[in-house]
């Protein structure tokens, strides 16, 4: 991803001091936990030595390399009977015998950005194949239930909120915030509401601006498993958070996000840092591997010999959290914190939803202060569109071939180590997931994917602003390949901006029409010139509004693909 660039090509690397601590070096490098551990903080595992002017990474580099090789084990093994055996290709032995105890429901999943939860409508979401409805009750408290009316199984996310109560629009049954049915219009006077007319509740928590959902109804929720990101709790820490719905599986999305090698090629010139001529060999050092994920260092091979060089640090933590963090000392000696956070939710077969959060504590340069946030949102959408064709086709091929990735991928040590690590982790925990495609194992979905031809709930209310639900034309078609449906409908800021630009475009069009008509009617030259100048200004404004609307509703198309 081009958004990873602050962690990829930072010219101030020699001035980096340290990373945020959660445990000591010896704990990470000399012991690999065999049991799942509670996820309390997802910061980097090395503590700062205040007696030194810089963190002594170079001092222990060889030791780390040796230990990492020992931890990785077969990752760099070249033992293979294949004819195309090569030192640069990851040809590791099967990891299918390493099975961990895992239950996908006993996890917290990132459901939505808190700020984007609608105030006046229910929102239909999914986690794997489980459909849930999220909304704010009359007190503003966030509630979450199974997206199913107990009457005739209609989606509650197709309903509405009346006085803080959730109403099913099929027959008008209404439910309070505790899930209890309080209104059935069709009941005779004096009849009791059936006790079974209640909703199945899911526990949700709001943590650091993200709504998390606990999926198990059998096991009590474990609050210690809710991720805590230290940098985002720091005073003065600013972040840009976006949410995107994507038309491919969450495992493919995670592969893409932990693949820095594709950034210079796929996102060439997307911003001022991604350049295809910078594509080069990378190195990877796995320093931690547990039943809940893995972590380690990575960077460009050509930077490895740089004095006082500290590489990037990546951590993947179950079920779907990917995190990069850094602490950099600027030229004034001030410590700045940087984080790139990716929260990936599986939202069904061939679908996923991603919350992206990039933040730092450094004061933004003057130019960045005047760039509106919606522009960064649309630039992020552009980044995903640049990869969408590759990832959608990858998803299709994996489902058609029905074999583990080791039989399809050619994973290079100099670019694909994290991808191999992730698929091997899937081997460990795959038996506890609804379906998975691992490095050496595979389990296909038990049920076929359900394709919905009309959006539900809050999405439906937006699409219904055109002649029919689902709409006519590109902008309102319920298609996850469309930027409007992938991002804008989930983002309050971008929806407000889009509405404002439409209003301004309409107003400017009216003014331009009136001023042009008056310019034709008046006889004085000065008045004609003034009115025509006014028309010109309005036309320029209309063009700006049209461009902004297009940015929010039109996908990026590569130049060589444009007709």
């Amino acid at each position: 991803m081009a958004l990873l660039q602050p962690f990829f090509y930072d010219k101030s690397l020699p001035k980096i001091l340290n990373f945020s601590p959660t445990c000591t070096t010896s704990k990470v490098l000399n012991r690999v936990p065999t049991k799942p551990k509670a996820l309390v903080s997802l910061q980097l595992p090395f503590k700062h030595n205040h007696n030194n002017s810089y963190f002594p990474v170079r001092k222990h580099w060889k030791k780390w390399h040796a230990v990492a090789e020992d931890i990785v084990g077969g990752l760099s093994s070249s033992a293979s009977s294949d004819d195309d055996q090569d030192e640069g290709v990851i040809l590791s032995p099967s990891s299918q015998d390493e099975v961990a105890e895992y239950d996908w429901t006993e996890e917290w999943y990132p459901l939505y950005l808190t700020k984007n939860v609608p105030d006046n409508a229910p929102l239909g979401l999914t986690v794997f194949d489980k459909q849930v409805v999220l909304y704010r009750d009359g007190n503003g408290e966030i509630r979450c239930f199974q997206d199913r009316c107990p009457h005739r199984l209609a989606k509650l996310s197709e309903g509405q909120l009346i006085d803080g109560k959730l109403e099913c629009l099929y027959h008008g049954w209404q439910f309070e915030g505790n899930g209890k049915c309080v209104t059935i219009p069709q009941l005779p006077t004096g009849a009791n509401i059936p006790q079974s007319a209640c909703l199945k509740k899911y526990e949700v928590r709001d943590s650091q601006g993200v709504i998390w959902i606990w999926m198990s109804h059998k096991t009590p929720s474990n609050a210690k498993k809710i991720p805590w990101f230290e940098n985002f709790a720091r005073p003065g820490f600013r972040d840009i958070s976006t949410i995107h719905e994507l038309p491919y599986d969450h495992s493919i999305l995670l592969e893409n996000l932990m693949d820095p090698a594709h950034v210079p090629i796929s996102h060439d010139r997307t911003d001022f840092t991604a350049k295809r001529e910078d594509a080069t060999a990378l190195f990877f050092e796995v320093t931690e591997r547990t039943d809940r994920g893995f972590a380690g260092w990575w960077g460009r091979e050509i930077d490895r010999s740089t004095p006082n060089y500290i590489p990037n640090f990546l951590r993947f933590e179950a079920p779907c959290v990917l995190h990069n963090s850094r602490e950099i000392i600027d030229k004034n000696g001030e410590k700045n914190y940087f984080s790139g956070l990716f929260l990936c939710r599986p939202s069904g077969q061939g679908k996923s939803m991603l919350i992206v959060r990039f933040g730092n504590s450094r004061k933004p340069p003057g130019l960045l202060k005047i760039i509106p946030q919606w522009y960064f949102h649309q630039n992020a959408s552009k980044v995903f569109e640049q990869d969408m064709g590759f990832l959608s086709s990858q998803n299709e091929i994996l489902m058609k071939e029905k074999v583990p990735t080791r039989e399809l991928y050619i994973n290079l040590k100099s670019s694909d180590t994290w991808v191999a690590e992730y698929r091997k982790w899937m081997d460990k925990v795959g038996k506890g997931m609804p379906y998975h495609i691992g490095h050496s194992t595979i389990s296909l979905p038990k049920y076929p994917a359900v394709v919905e031809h009309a959006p539900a709930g809050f999405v439906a209310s937006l699409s219904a602003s055109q002649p029919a639900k689902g709409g006519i034309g590109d902008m309102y078609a319920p298609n996850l390949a469309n930027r409007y449906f992938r991002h804008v409908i989930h983002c309050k800021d971008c929806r407000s901006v889009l509405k404002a630009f439409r209003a301004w475009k309409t107003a400017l069009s009216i003014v331009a029409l009136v001023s042009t008509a008056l310019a034709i009617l008046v006889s004085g030259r000065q008045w004609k010139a003034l009115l025509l100048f006014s028309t010109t200004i309005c036309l320029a404004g209309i063009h700006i509004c049209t461009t902004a609307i297009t940015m929010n509703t039109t996908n990026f198309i590569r130049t060589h693909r444009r007709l």
Side-chain angles (χ1 to χ4, degrees):
M1 303 299 298
L3 296 176
L4 278 172
Q5 290 301 313
F7 307 95
F8 200 12
Y9 296 118
D10 199 317
K11 302 302 182 182
S12 58
L13 284 177
K15 298 181 181 179
I16 298 174
L17 276 185
N18 70 308
F19 299 86
S20 305
T22 56
C23 57
T24 60
T25 306
S26 60
K27 288 182 180 180
V28 175
L29 296 178
N30 298 330
R31 178 175 62 85
V32 180
T34 56
K35 297 181 180 180
K37 60 181 182 178
L39 176 57
V40 178
S41 175
L42 288 185
Q43 300 301 315
L44 305 177
F46 296 94
K47 291 187 175 180
H48 173 52
N49 185 345
H50 294 282
N51 296 324
N52 296 331
S53 59
Y54 64 89
F55 186 69
V57 174
R58 294 287 299 175
K59 179 179 179 181
H60 301 292
W61 185 262
K62 292 183 179 179
K63 176 181 176 181
W64 291 358
H65 180 81
V67 176
E69 287 293 326
D70 182 57
I71 292 176
V72 174
L75 181 63
S76 59
S77 171
S78 60
S80 175
S81 58
D82 295 342
D83 294 335
D84 62 347
Q85 181 177 358
D86 191 287
E87 287 185 359
V89 180
I90 298 174
L91 297 171
S92 59
S94 173
S95 59
Q96 57 186 338
D97 295 331
E98 301 178 25
V99 178
E101 291 291 332
Y102 187 79
D103 184 342
W104 75 272
T105 65
E106 298 177 2
E107 299 284 358
W108 292 95
Y109 290 84
L111 199 56
Y112 221 63
L113 283 170
T114 308
K115 66 180 182 179
N116 288 332
V117 176
D119 298 319
N120 55 0
L123 178 67
L125 301 168
T126 58
V127 181
F128 281 112
D129 61 343
K130 304 298 183 183
Q131 297 177 333
V132 301
V133 57
L134 187 73
Y135 70 98
R136 296 182 186 271
D137 65 14
N139 299 320
E141 186 174 345
I142 293 179
R143 305 286 187 176
C144 187
F145 298 99
Q146 184 180 30
D147 195 6
R148 177 192 299 178
C149 180
H151 178 212
R152 296 263 293 281
L153 310 183
K155 276 194 169 185
L156 293 168
S157 57
E158 292 271 16
Q160 62 184 349
L161 298 179
I162 297 181
D163 298 327
K165 294 187 288 291
L166 178 61
E167 180 183 82
C168 175
L169 267 176
Y170 197 12
H171 292 89
W173 291 28
Q174 294 183 1
F175 303 87
E176 288 185 333
N178 58 7
K180 181 181 178 181
C181 184
V182 293
T183 301
I184 298 180
Q186 297 79 15
L187 274 181
T189 303
N192 294 324
I193 295 176
Q195 291 185 354
S196 58
C198 58
L199 305 180
K200 183 182 287 187
K201 182 180 180 180
Y202 284 95
E203 185 171 353
V204 290
R205 299 281 184 91
D206 182 355
S207 177
Q208 295 184 293
V210 176
I211 303 297
W212 299 82
I213 182 172
W214 179 261
M215 293 305 299
S216 178
H217 285 113
K218 298 179 180 179
T219 306
S221 62
N222 182 357
K224 292 182 179 180
K225 280 190 171 183
I226 298 178
W228 178 258
F229 308 103
E230 185 179 340
N231 280 352
F232 289 86
R234 296 182 185 278
F237 194 83
R238 297 173 301 277
D239 76 285
I240 296 176
S241 299
T242 65
I243 186 167
H244 307 266
E245 199 165 3
L246 299 165
Y248 39 83
D249 191 74
H250 83 287
S251 65
I252 293 174
L253 172 61
L254 278 165
E255 269 193 11
N256 175 248
L257 296 170
M258 61 179 65
D259 170 24
H262 85 283
V263 172
I265 303 297
S266 182
H267 308 303
D268 179 34
R269 266 71 182 183
T270 300
D271 57 29
F272 59 89
T273 54
K275 299 177 182 178
R276 66 179 300 111
E277 57 266 28
D278 290 330
T280 184
L282 307 176
F283 68 88
F284 301 87
E285 300 289 351
V286 181
T287 58
E288 183 179 346
R289 182 190 287 156
T290 74
D291 292 344
R292 294 197 57 76
F294 56 88
W297 306 90
W298 65 272
R300 297 196 302 174
E301 191 67 51
I302 58 177
D303 293 331
R304 204 165 182 172
S305 59
T306 303
N308 303 327
Y309 172 66
I310 297 179
N312 303 271
F313 190 84
L314 176 142
R315 179 182 294 279
F316 167 75
E317 194 83 23
C320 47
V321 176
L322 189 67
H323 193 206
N324 280 275
S325 288
R326 275 197 157 171
E327 295 178 10
I328 300 178
I329 302 298
D330 61 21
K331 59 183 180 180
N332 299 321
E334 182 180 353
K335 183 187 294 185
N336 296 297
Y337 301 90
F338 295 81
S339 280
L341 180 62
F342 305 93
L343 308 176
C344 311
R345 171 167 52 84
S347 57
Q349 297 176 41
K351 296 185 294 182
S352 55
M353 182 167 276
L354 172 66
I355 294 174
V356 183
R357 304 190 72 178
F358 274 87
N360 66 82
S361 60
R362 185 166 59 187
K363 294 180 180 179
L367 181 61
L368 292 180
K369 290 180 180 179
I370 63 174
I371 299 178
Q373 287 224 357
W374 67 265
Y375 177 83
F376 293 110
H377 289 202
Q378 301 313 316
N379 194 59
S381 295
K382 177 181 177 180
V383 169
F384 290 113
E385 289 154 10
Q386 289 171 333
D387 287 339
M388 193 174 296
F390 315 135
L391 304 184
S392 297
S393 61
Q394 181 185 353
N395 193 113
E396 181 181 354
I397 292 171
L398 284 173
M399 295 309 297
K400 283 183 177 179
E401 294 292 339
K402 297 180 173 63
V403 296
T405 58
R406 68 179 298 180
E407 299 184 29
L408 299 172
Y409 291 3
I410 302 176
N411 284 329
L412 302 180
K413 298 176 186 177
S414 56
S415 64
D416 307 308
T417 295
W418 297 140
V419 173
E421 282 294 317
Y422 174 64
R423 292 297 177 180
K424 288 177 183 178
W425 175 80
M426 296 280 276
D427 287 336
K428 282 186 179 183
V429 304
K431 290 186 177 181
M433 302 179 74
Y435 56 88
H436 83 284
I437 299 177
H439 180 70
S440 305
T441 62
I442 184 174
S443 63
L444 298 176
K446 294 181 180 179
Y447 310 103
V450 176
V451 178
E452 295 189 21
H453 295 284
F458 187 60
V459 176
S461 68
L462 288 167
S463 64
S465 59
Q466 284 295 291
K469 181 178 176 181
I472 297 175
D474 294 336
M475 180 173 169
Y476 293 94
N479 179 4
L480 293 187
N482 180 282
R483 182 181 296 190
Y484 179 79
F485 266 86
R486 278 198 340 271
H487 170 70
V488 176
I489 64 169
H490 296 292
C491 178
K492 282 186 177 181
D493 293 338
C494 290
R495 288 200 310 273
S496 298
V497 165
L498 185 57
K499 184 178 180 180
F501 276 118
R502 281 180 180 160
W504 273 106
K505 181 179 179 180
T506 300
L508 290 171
S509 298
I510 294 173
V511 174
L513 183 62
V514 171
S515 62
T516 301
L518 291 175
I520 295 173
L521 296 175
V522 299
S523 57
R525 285 189 175 184
Q526 291 183 341
W527 281 108
K528 282 184 180 289
L530 181 62
L531 289 169
L532 290 176
F533 178 75
S534 175
T535 300
T536 303
I537 295 298
C538 289
L539 291 176
I542 291 170
H543 176 73
I544 293 173
C545 291
T546 301
T547 301
I549 292 170
T550 301
M551 287 182 65
N552 281 275
T553 58
T554 306
N555 281 8
F556 166 82
I557 301 176
R558 296 184 185 276
T559 304
H560 69 283
R561 292 288 187 187
R562 295 173 184 168
L563 297 178

